[in-house]
Amino acid sequence: ASQSALTPQADDFPRWYQAVAAVVQAVAGGNLSPSEGQTLSALLEAHRKAVEVDGIERRIATLETEAEARRHA
């Protein structure tokens, strides 16, 4: 799979599903061992969480900036 397929944005569920499905298919097809598949799945989940947290932090920062601007208006 390409890197872009393995590093989708947090809100891009179809691409996350495709990435995980690719790992499952690779394990089922014998191209990855179950432990390799588990490791890749864990990496995908860690990346998904990091992207998700980044998005949340950005939204919070935007809300805080907007709230501060309203206080000073």
Side-chain angles (χ1 to χ4, degrees), residues 7-70:
T7 57
Q9 296 300 309
D11 61 352
D12 190 354
F13 178 77
R15 288 186 57 200
W16 282 106
Y17 179 82
Q18 290 170 352
V20 173
V23 172
V24 171
Q25 288 174 348
V27 171
N31 296 317
L32 289 175
S33 70
S35 64
E36 290 170 325
Q38 184 176 19
T39 299
L40 283 173
S41 294
L43 287 170
L44 284 168
E45 179 60 10
H47 178 71
R48 185 200 62 78
K49 285 180 182 179
V51 171
E52 180 180 40
V53 168
D54 179 63
I56 291 168
E57 287 179 350
R58 288 173 191 254
R59 288 190 297 262
I60 290 170
T62 298
L63 291 171
E64 289 173 341
T65 299
E66 290 171 356
E68 187 68 24
R70 281 192 297 272

